[in-house]
Amino acid sequence: MPKQESKSTRSDPSRAVAFSDAVIAIVITLLVLDLRPPETEPGELLDGLLSEWPTYLAYAASYVYLAVIWLNHKAAFTRIREMDRGLQWANLGILATLALVPWPTAAIAETARTGNLEDERVAVALYAIVGALLCLSWLVFFSYLARHPDLTKEEVSDSYFARERPRALIGVALYVAAGIAGFLIHPLVASVIFLLLPAFYGLTSHGFDQQPAILRGGQKRDNTARNSSPKSS
Amino acid sequence: MPKQESKSTRSDPSRAVAFSDAVIAIVITLLVLDLRPPETEPGELLDGLLSEWPTYLAYAASYVYLAVIWLNHKAAFTRIREMDRGLQWANLGILATLALVPWPTAAIAETARTGNLEDERVAVALYAIVGALLCLSWLVFFSYLARHPDLTKEEVSDSYFARERPRALIGVALYVAAGIAGFLIHPLVASVIFLLLPAFYGLTSHGFDQQPAILRGGQKRDNTARNSSPKSS
Amino acid sequence: MPKQESKSTRSDPSRAVAFSDAVIAIVITLLVLDLRPPETEPGELLDGLLSEWPTYLAYAASYVYLAVIWLNHKAAFTRIREMDRGLQWANLGILATLALVPWPTAAIAETARTGNLEDERVAVALYAIVGALLCLSWLVFFSYLARHPDLTKEEVSDSYFARERPRALIGVALYVAAGIAGFLIHPLVASVIFLLLPAFYGLTSHGFDQQPAILRGGQKRDNTARNSSPKSS
Amino acid sequence: MPKQESKSTRSDPSRAVAFSDAVIAIVITLLVLDLRPPETEPGELLDGLLSEWPTYLAYAASYVYLAVIWLNHKAAFTRIREMDRGLQWANLGILATLALVPWPTAAIAETARTGNLEDERVAVALYAIVGALLCLSWLVFFSYLARHPDLTKEEVSDSYFARERPRALIGVALYVAAGIAGFLIHPLVASVIFLLLPAFYGLTSHGFDQQPAILRGGQKRDNTARNSSPKSS
């Protein structure tokens, strides 16, 4: 009975995908559009532009991070057949936290410019909190799908999203660790972890099974690929 | 004859849905992107960030509210087959009022920071007016659909949207009541109602029939579910 | 030969429609999001909000205007089968000019607040120029379609878009007249025309043939309706 | 084996196209929305508006440039059947660099207003760098497609995207040349090249083969047209 009720409010994911694309496109674009010519005295534009290098670096890193999130989002939704209300809210949680990313990014860029070590510690801690929240929202999303295999496409193996959870959990742990290390030891320690984590997620965006072919038997991987990687439509 | 004329200007709702998704995505994302690192003296970033807690709370509440509106919008449009000009304008009315939400949200957040009780009363009254207008726009939308059953999908019962009207009407009444109570008694009274109302709409986003299974006979609900809850496509 | 070449670069309008929807959604939403709580002394929020009434009026009028433009855009594209490069540029011209609308709107709102008659004349003249440019871009768009009947759907009568041109031409003439009257006589004269023109376009968004049923023989209208009003898909 | 693995992460380009459309729509619209009434003393609005002419010119040129980029993007994607991870990143590179365009555009407009020749040199050099990066991102995109003919539609000739590379390479070279000339000789030299390059790309948006019919034998062009210009769907 409760099963039946929940089914009646299900829908295919097309509108949620379009909505998510719009949100991610706005966040990633406004990040870049935030770049403005510095307000400098006449003749000092070049100095002004050059002194903003931490901003360029921070925005480039955030752009890559958000691009990785979008690719991961796309990879996950090619495997989803239907959405119920719980999955809608899990997705809205991801969107809410990813839209926060430009906020600590700007804080890191500004404190890098002013060079106050105390503020730099606070800024990397803020970034670590937002990063951990973002990984947490993915953990909720993957866990929900792991517990509701009827929402995924038929060709996706039942354990696919269960096996995705460690990826998100590692992120939560590493962001928390980076925040603590950046706050207690030095902000630079945190910054290095912040740059490495998106790379890790970029390389594993289709799951642990797909990428590290070197680490696993090719035979088994092929089967997994056939079972769990439908084309999006 | 007038019937025929109106039919010739009808269209399927796909473009209105895409347009609405874009508008809601922009509003909900810019709400979050509005978060900026506070401009503080060197070494005072932490204090600056912590003192902005009313902003975080207000934006979180508004995000949830707009997410609920989007889910309700999605639930309504899965039941709509065709749109005529009247329904287009009713939808544009919803979009206009929901785009207003960040405005009183910012007013409440700012007055909570400055702590002037007089301004706080005005801010909650403004929020109440916008909230009431938003519910009013949904009332117009539901009423229009109730009077034009030929615009809904065949499997939707003719009384579905008529039964949605009380939900919107309750919202108008409660926002007006919250505004008056917040202005005359204390802003906190209004704030509690503001937080409860989105929860109410979130729980009933597929209509009164669907949700409160506890309150009604399961047998009858099942029939309703079969009649009135088409899958979106 | 040139015919063949031009055909090879044609495409169906779906991506241009999605792009236009996104642009119009951004313009119409940012117009509303531009509303901000006024920066007032403690205790003066109410006065600050009330003194901004010209802004509310100007934004409401612009919202309705942009909504009318979107409905007209939708009505035109339900009749278009294919786009070539010329039509793409005609559409991009419409998007460029409609994105200008918030600019003179803000100028009118600000000059209404400061109350300098000289500036008010300039602001209405600016609005008139943008309005005339917008109608001119529609005139180019309709003329292009009138000269390329092979781009429209089969069921659309060949003269449909030729008959749309006077609507756009009237707009150009009236905006120019309003600008001159507003500049030479009084800004209020222009403002009244600015408010009436969107209403005119809203009522005729499916062409002259469709709307004024009272003015024409019902029999003839019915035939036209059958020929020229395909459903969008 | 590696082939098989890469295939399992492929998807059709529809979601990447929608995402790109949203990003380009945001960039092109916010460029226009950046226009604001100047903050002038009462009675000086006209002077304020007129003195901003470099801004109008710079924004008009950038609008046309971004419109050309969108048309080129559309033309390229009508020929793409599937996307793998490499092509996704090549596309994300184009989006990142095109979102940069408003930044040097604003720098040129502002330095033209202040009239400091030193800053003008820096601004055109910045514009040249962004322009060269943008062409470079297209070069990467075309080269990737030239090396992966299995990603393009069947009716597209294998050499189509290889023949697109010179167009991008010319752009890189000309932007670098314009930057050097603008910095060493005079900013005006660079500005003329900046205005001519988008025109060049606009005229060749469907490849060298399509446009200059005058320069080539009509017979050969026709065959090419049949082979390489599928309709988008």
Side-chain angles (χ1 to χ4, degrees), chain B residues 158-215:
Chain B
D158 276 9
S159 63
Y160 178 81
F161 283 107
R163 279 176 285 127
E164 288 284 274
R165 282 178 301 190
R167 281 177 68 217
L169 203 57
I170 290 169
V172 177
L174 284 180
Y175 272 116
V176 169
I180 293 171
F183 195 79
L184 297 183
I185 306 171
H186 197 276
L188 219 65
V189 183
S191 302
V192 172
I193 305 179
F194 294 161
L195 290 172
L196 290 179
L197 267 170
F200 164 70
Y201 283 117
L203 291 171
T204 61
S205 66
H206 278 261
F208 275 140
D209 307 352
Q210 304 276 328
Q211 252 42 44
I214 310 143
L215 306 172

Coordinates of all heavy atoms in Angstrom, one line a residue, chain B residues 158-215:
Chain B
D158 N -11.9 15.1 -13.1 CA -12.3 16.5 -13.4 C -12.3 17.3 -12.1 O -12.1 18.6 -12.2 CB -13.8 16.5 -13.9 CG -13.8 16.3 -15.4 OD1 -12.7 16.0 -15.9 OD2 -14.8 16.4 -16.0
S159 N -12.4 16.7 -10.9 CA -12.4 17.5 -9.7 C -11.0 17.7 -9.1 O -10.9 18.4 -8.1 CB -13.3 16.8 -8.7 OG -12.7 15.6 -8.3
Y160 N -9.9 17.2 -9.8 CA -8.6 17.2 -9.2 C -8.2 18.6 -8.8 O -7.8 18.9 -7.7 CB -7.6 16.5 -10.1 CG -6.2 16.6 -9.5 CD1 -5.8 15.7 -8.5 CD2 -5.3 17.6 -9.8 CE1 -4.5 15.8 -7.9 CE2 -4.0 17.7 -9.3 CZ -3.7 16.8 -8.3 OH -2.4 16.9 -7.8
F161 N -8.2 19.5 -9.8 CA -7.7 20.9 -9.5 C -8.7 21.7 -8.7 O -8.3 22.6 -8.0 CB -7.4 21.6 -10.9 CG -6.1 21.1 -11.4 CD1 -6.0 20.3 -12.5 CD2 -4.9 21.4 -10.8 CE1 -4.8 19.8 -13.0 CE2 -3.7 21.0 -11.3 CZ -3.6 20.1 -12.4
A162 N -10.0 21.4 -8.7 CA -10.9 22.0 -7.8 C -10.5 21.7 -6.4 O -10.6 22.6 -5.5 CB -12.3 21.6 -8.1
R163 N -10.1 20.4 -6.1 CA -9.7 20.0 -4.8 C -8.4 20.6 -4.4 O -8.0 20.5 -3.2 CB -9.7 18.5 -4.7 CG -11.1 18.0 -4.5 CD -11.1 16.4 -4.5 NE -11.0 15.9 -5.8 CZ -10.1 15.0 -6.2 NH1 -9.2 14.6 -5.3 NH2 -10.0 14.6 -7.5
E164 N -7.6 21.2 -5.4 CA -6.3 21.8 -5.0 C -6.5 23.2 -4.5 O -5.6 23.7 -3.8 CB -5.4 21.9 -6.3 CG -4.8 20.5 -6.7 CD -3.7 20.1 -5.8 OE1 -2.6 20.5 -6.1 OE2 -4.0 19.3 -4.9
R165 N -7.6 23.8 -4.8 CA -7.8 25.2 -4.5 C -7.7 25.5 -3.0 O -7.1 26.5 -2.6 CB -9.2 25.7 -5.0 CG -9.1 26.1 -6.5 CD -10.4 26.6 -7.1 NE -11.4 25.5 -6.9 CZ -12.6 25.6 -7.5 NH1 -12.9 26.6 -8.2 NH2 -13.5 24.6 -7.3
P166 N -8.3 24.6 -2.1 CA -8.2 24.9 -0.7 C -6.8 25.0 -0.2 O -6.5 25.9 0.7 CB -8.9 23.7 0.0 CG -9.9 23.2 -1.1 CD -9.2 23.5 -2.4
R167 N -5.9 24.2 -0.7 CA -4.5 24.3 -0.3 C -3.9 25.7 -0.5 O -3.2 26.2 0.3 CB -3.6 23.3 -1.2 CG -3.7 21.9 -0.7 CD -2.8 21.0 -1.7 NE -1.4 21.3 -1.6 CZ -0.6 21.3 -2.6 NH1 -1.0 21.1 -3.8 NH2 0.7 21.6 -2.4
A168 N -4.2 26.3 -1.7 CA -3.7 27.6 -2.0 C -4.4 28.7 -1.1 O -3.8 29.6 -0.6 CB -4.0 27.9 -3.5
L169 N -5.8 28.5 -0.9 CA -6.5 29.4 -0.1 C -6.0 29.4 1.3 O -5.9 30.5 1.9 CB -8.0 29.0 -0.2 CG -9.0 30.1 0.1 CD1 -8.8 31.3 -0.9 CD2 -10.4 29.6 0.0
I170 N -5.7 28.3 1.9 CA -5.2 28.2 3.2 C -3.9 29.0 3.3 O -3.7 29.7 4.3 CB -4.9 26.7 3.6 CG1 -6.2 26.0 3.8 CG2 -4.1 26.6 4.9 CD1 -6.1 24.5 3.9
G171 N -3.1 28.9 2.3 CA -1.8 29.6 2.2 C -2.1 31.2 2.3 O -1.4 31.9 3.1
V172 N -3.0 31.6 1.4 CA -3.3 33.1 1.4 C -3.7 33.5 2.8 O -3.2 34.5 3.4 CB -4.4 33.4 0.4 CG1 -4.8 34.9 0.5 CG2 -4.0 33.0 -1.0
A173 N -4.6 32.8 3.5 CA -5.1 33.1 4.8 C -4.0 33.1 5.8 O -3.9 34.1 6.6 CB -6.3 32.2 5.2
L174 N -3.2 32.1 5.8 CA -2.1 31.9 6.8 C -1.1 33.0 6.7 O -0.5 33.5 7.7 CB -1.5 30.5 6.8 CG -2.4 29.5 7.4 CD1 -1.7 28.1 7.3 CD2 -2.7 29.8 8.9
Y175 N -0.7 33.3 5.4 CA 0.3 34.4 5.2 C -0.2 35.7 5.7 O 0.5 36.5 6.3 CB 0.8 34.5 3.8 CG 1.9 33.5 3.5 CD1 1.8 32.5 2.6 CD2 3.1 33.7 4.1 CE1 2.8 31.6 2.3 CE2 4.2 32.9 3.8 CZ 4.0 31.8 2.9 OH 5.1 31.0 2.7
V176 N -1.5 36.0 5.4 CA -2.1 37.3 5.9 C -2.1 37.3 7.4 O -1.7 38.3 8.0 CB -3.5 37.4 5.3 CG1 -4.3 38.6 6.0 CG2 -3.5 37.7 3.8
A177 N -2.5 36.2 8.0 CA -2.6 36.1 9.5 C -1.2 36.2 10.0 O -1.0 37.0 11.0 CB -3.2 34.7 9.9
A178 N -0.2 35.6 9.4 CA 1.2 35.7 9.9 C 1.7 37.1 9.8 O 2.4 37.6 10.7 CB 2.1 34.8 9.1
G179 N 1.4 37.8 8.7 CA 1.8 39.2 8.5 C 1.2 40.1 9.6 O 1.9 40.9 10.2
I180 N -0.1 39.9 9.9 CA -0.7 40.7 10.9 C -0.2 40.4 12.3 O 0.2 41.4 13.0 CB -2.3 40.5 10.9 CG1 -2.8 41.1 9.5 CG2 -3.0 41.2 12.0 CD1 -4.3 40.7 9.3
A181 N 0.0 39.1 12.6 CA 0.5 38.7 13.9 C 2.0 39.2 14.1 O 2.3 39.7 15.1 CB 0.4 37.2 14.1
G182 N 2.7 39.1 13.0 CA 4.1 39.5 13.0 C 4.3 41.0 13.2 O 5.2 41.5 13.9
F183 N 3.3 41.8 12.6 CA 3.4 43.2 12.7 C 2.9 43.7 14.0 O 3.5 44.6 14.6 CB 2.6 43.8 11.5 CG 2.9 45.3 11.3 CD1 4.0 45.7 10.6 CD2 2.0 46.3 11.8 CE1 4.3 47.0 10.4 CE2 2.3 47.6 11.6 CZ 3.4 48.0 10.9
L184 N 1.8 43.1 14.5 CA 1.1 43.6 15.7 C 1.7 43.0 17.0 O 1.9 43.7 18.0 CB -0.4 43.4 15.7 CG -1.1 44.1 14.6 CD1 -2.6 43.8 14.7 CD2 -0.8 45.6 14.6
I185 N 2.0 41.7 17.0 CA 2.5 41.0 18.2 C 4.0 41.0 18.2 O 4.7 41.8 18.8 CB 1.9 39.6 18.3 CG1 0.4 39.6 18.2 CG2 2.3 38.9 19.6 CD1 -0.3 38.3 18.0
H186 N 4.6 40.0 17.4 CA 6.1 40.0 17.4 C 6.5 39.3 16.1 O 5.9 38.3 15.7 CB 6.6 39.2 18.6 CG 8.1 39.4 18.8 ND1 9.0 38.7 18.2 CD2 8.7 40.2 19.6 CE1 10.2 39.1 18.6 NE2 10.1 40.1 19.5
P187 N 7.6 39.8 15.4 CA 8.1 39.2 14.2 C 8.3 37.7 14.3 O 8.2 36.9 13.3 CB 9.4 39.9 13.9 CG 9.3 41.2 14.6 CD 8.4 40.9 15.8
L188 N 8.7 37.2 15.5 CA 9.0 35.8 15.7 C 7.8 34.9 15.4 O 7.9 33.8 14.8 CB 9.5 35.5 17.1 CG 10.6 34.5 17.2 CD1 11.9 35.0 16.5 CD2 10.9 34.2 18.7
V189 N 6.6 35.4 15.7 CA 5.4 34.6 15.5 C 5.2 34.4 14.0 O 4.9 33.3 13.5 CB 4.1 35.4 16.0 CG1 2.9 34.5 15.8 CG2 4.3 35.7 17.4
A190 N 5.5 35.4 13.2 CA 5.4 35.3 11.7 C 6.4 34.3 11.2 O 6.1 33.5 10.4 CB 5.6 36.7 11.1
S191 N 7.7 34.4 11.7 CA 8.8 33.6 11.2 C 8.4 32.1 11.3 O 8.8 31.3 10.5 CB 10.1 33.9 11.9 OG 10.4 35.3 11.8
V192 N 7.8 31.7 12.5 CA 7.5 30.3 12.7 C 6.5 29.9 11.6 O 6.6 28.8 11.0 CB 6.9 30.1 14.1 CG1 6.4 28.7 14.3 CG2 8.0 30.4 15.2
I193 N 5.4 30.7 11.4 CA 4.5 30.3 10.3 C 5.2 30.2 9.0 O 4.9 29.3 8.2 CB 3.3 31.3 10.3 CG1 2.7 31.5 11.7 CG2 2.3 30.9 9.2 CD1 1.5 32.4 11.7
F194 N 6.1 31.2 8.7 CA 6.8 31.2 7.4 C 7.6 29.9 7.2 O 7.7 29.4 6.1 CB 7.8 32.3 7.3 CG 7.2 33.7 7.3 CD1 7.9 34.8 7.6 CD2 5.8 33.9 7.0 CE1 7.3 36.1 7.6 CE2 5.3 35.1 6.9 CZ 6.0 36.2 7.3
L195 N 8.1 29.3 8.3 CA 8.9 28.1 8.2 C 8.0 26.8 8.1 O 8.3 25.9 7.4 CB 9.8 27.9 9.4 CG 11.0 28.9 9.4 CD1 11.7 28.8 10.8 CD2 11.9 28.6 8.3
L196 N 6.8 26.9 8.7 CA 5.9 25.8 8.6 C 5.1 25.6 7.3 O 4.9 24.5 6.9 CB 4.9 25.9 9.8 CG 5.4 25.7 11.2 CD1 4.3 25.8 12.2 CD2 6.1 24.3 11.3
L197 N 4.8 26.8 6.7 CA 4.0 26.7 5.5 C 4.7 25.9 4.3 O 4.0 25.1 3.7 CB 3.6 28.1 5.0 CG 2.2 28.5 5.5 CD1 2.0 30.0 5.3 CD2 1.1 27.7 4.9
P198 N 6.0 26.2 4.0 CA 6.6 25.4 3.0 C 6.6 23.9 3.3 O 6.4 23.1 2.4 CB 8.0 25.9 2.9 CG 7.9 27.3 3.4 CD 6.8 27.3 4.5
A199 N 6.7 23.5 4.6 CA 6.7 22.1 5.0 C 5.3 21.6 4.6 O 5.2 20.5 4.1 CB 7.0 22.0 6.5
F200 N 4.3 22.3 4.9 CA 2.9 21.9 4.6 C 2.7 21.7 3.1 O 2.2 20.6 2.6 CB 1.9 23.0 5.1 CG 0.5 22.8 4.5 CD1 -0.3 21.8 4.8 CD2 0.1 23.8 3.6 CE1 -1.6 21.7 4.3 CE2 -1.2 23.7 3.1 CZ -2.0 22.7 3.4
Y201 N 3.2 22.6 2.3 CA 3.1 22.4 0.8 C 4.0 21.3 0.3 O 3.6 20.6 -0.7 CB 3.4 23.8 0.1 CG 2.3 24.7 0.2 CD1 2.4 25.9 0.9 CD2 1.0 24.4 -0.3 CE1 1.4 26.8 1.0 CE2 0.0 25.3 -0.2 CZ 0.2 26.5 0.4 OH -0.9 27.4 0.5
G202 N 5.1 21.1 0.9 CA 6.0 20.0 0.5 C 5.3 18.7 0.7 O 5.4 17.8 -0.1
L203 N 4.6 18.5 1.8 CA 4.0 17.3 2.2 C 2.8 17.0 1.3 O 2.4 15.8 1.2 CB 3.7 17.2 3.7 CG 4.9 17.1 4.6 CD1 4.4 17.3 6.0 CD2 5.6 15.8 4.4
T204 N 2.2 18.0 0.8 CA 0.9 17.8 0.0 C 1.1 18.1 -1.5 O 0.1 18.5 -2.1 CB -0.2 18.7 0.6 OG1 0.2 20.1 0.4 CG2 -0.5 18.4 2.0
S205 N 2.4 18.0 -2.0 CA 2.6 18.5 -3.3 C 1.9 17.7 -4.4 O 1.7 18.2 -5.6 CB 4.1 18.6 -3.7 OG 4.6 17.3 -3.7
H206 N 1.4 16.5 -4.1 CA 0.5 15.8 -5.1 C -0.9 15.8 -4.7 O -1.7 14.9 -5.0 CB 1.0 14.4 -5.3 CG 2.2 14.3 -6.2 ND1 2.0 14.0 -7.5 CD2 3.5 14.6 -6.1 CE1 3.2 14.0 -8.1 NE2 4.1 14.4 -7.3
G207 N -1.3 16.8 -3.9 CA -2.7 17.0 -3.6 C -3.1 16.4 -2.3 O -2.3 15.5 -1.7
F208 N -4.1 16.8 -1.7 CA -4.6 16.3 -0.4 C -4.8 14.8 -0.5 O -4.5 14.1 0.5 CB -5.9 17.0 0.0 CG -5.7 18.3 0.7 CD1 -6.5 19.4 0.5 CD2 -4.7 18.5 1.6 CE1 -6.3 20.6 1.1 CE2 -4.5 19.7 2.3 CZ -5.3 20.7 2.0
D209 N -5.4 14.3 -1.6 CA -5.7 12.9 -1.7 C -4.6 12.0 -1.5 O -4.7 10.9 -0.9 CB -6.3 12.6 -3.1 CG -7.4 13.6 -3.5 OD1 -7.8 14.3 -2.6 OD2 -7.8 13.5 -4.7
Q210 N -3.4 12.4 -2.0 CA -2.3 11.5 -2.1 C -1.6 11.3 -0.7 O -1.3 10.2 -0.3 CB -1.2 12.0 -3.1 CG -1.8 12.3 -4.4 CD -1.8 11.0 -5.2 OE1 -0.9 10.2 -5.1 NE2 -2.8 10.8 -6.1
Q211 N -1.4 12.4 0.0 CA -0.5 12.4 1.1 C -1.2 11.7 2.3 O -0.7 10.7 2.8 CB -0.1 13.8 1.5 CG 1.4 14.0 1.1 CD 1.7 13.3 -0.2 OE1 1.0 13.5 -1.2 NE2 2.8 12.6 -0.3
P212 N -2.2 12.3 2.9 CA -2.6 11.9 4.2 C -3.3 10.6 4.2 O -4.5 10.5 4.6 CB -3.5 13.1 4.7 CG -4.0 13.7 3.4 CD -3.2 13.2 2.3
A213 N -2.5 9.5 3.8 CA -3.1 8.2 3.7 C -3.6 7.8 5.1 O -4.6 7.0 5.2 CB -2.0 7.2 3.3
I214 N -3.0 8.3 6.1 CA -3.4 7.9 7.5 C -4.8 8.4 7.8 O -5.6 7.7 8.5 CB -2.4 8.5 8.5 CG1 -1.0 8.2 8.1 CG2 -2.7 8.1 9.9 CD1 0.0 9.3 8.3
L215 N -5.1 9.5 7.2 CA -6.4 10.2 7.5 C -7.6 9.6 6.7 O -8.7 9.8 7.0 CB -6.3 11.7 7.2 CG -5.2 12.4 7.9 CD1 -5.1 13.9 7.4 CD2 -5.3 12.4 9.5

